[in-house]
Amino acid sequence: MTARVCVLYFAKSAELTGLKEEEVAAVPTPISSRDLWNLLLQRHPRLQTLQDRVVLAVRQQYVAIGDQVAVTLGDRDEVAVVPPLSGG
């Protein structure tokens, strides 16, 4: 089974991809957060610089990339790439 999801890029991830959002078709589901991250890396290799410092949010719920828990995605679900935020 696959899903068509909307990926939202914030802060440094938007800068690295040149996108604020994109639709990604045929995402396997269920999928582990690590496999989902790897899928995004295939599309945007420059995201590699955020490895180990980024989390994903699936349907507004944070999911650590190291988690091997399967995430079930549905069509039009939102997946956000949330890099570390800086500021004062």
Side-chain angles (χ1 to χ4, degrees):
M1 183 178 216
T2 63
R4 178 180 303 265
V5 299
C6 179
V7 181
L8 307 174
Y9 298 99
F10 293 96
K12 187 70 173 177
S13 66
E15 183 181 316
L16 291 169
T17 62
L19 301 169
K20 290 191 182 231
E21 69 179 70
E22 72 175 327
E23 188 173 280
V24 180
V27 176
T29 186
I31 188 170
S32 73
S33 57
R34 180 169 304 282
D35 289 343
L36 181 55
W37 174 247
N38 287 334
L39 184 145
L40 296 175
L41 284 177
Q42 288 173 5
R43 296 176 68 86
H44 304 286
R46 293 181 65 201
L47 288 173
Q48 182 67 40
T49 63
L50 298 177
Q51 185 81 32
D52 301 324
R53 298 182 302 135
V54 68
V55 296
L56 301 177
V58 177
R59 293 182 305 276
Q60 300 180 358
Q61 296 290 321
Y62 287 115
V63 180
I65 291 175
D67 290 352
Q68 288 302 312
V69 175
V71 176
T72 301
L73 299 169
D75 282 335
R76 294 184 294 279
D77 275 355
E78 287 184 348
V79 175
V81 179
V82 186
L85 301 175
S86 62

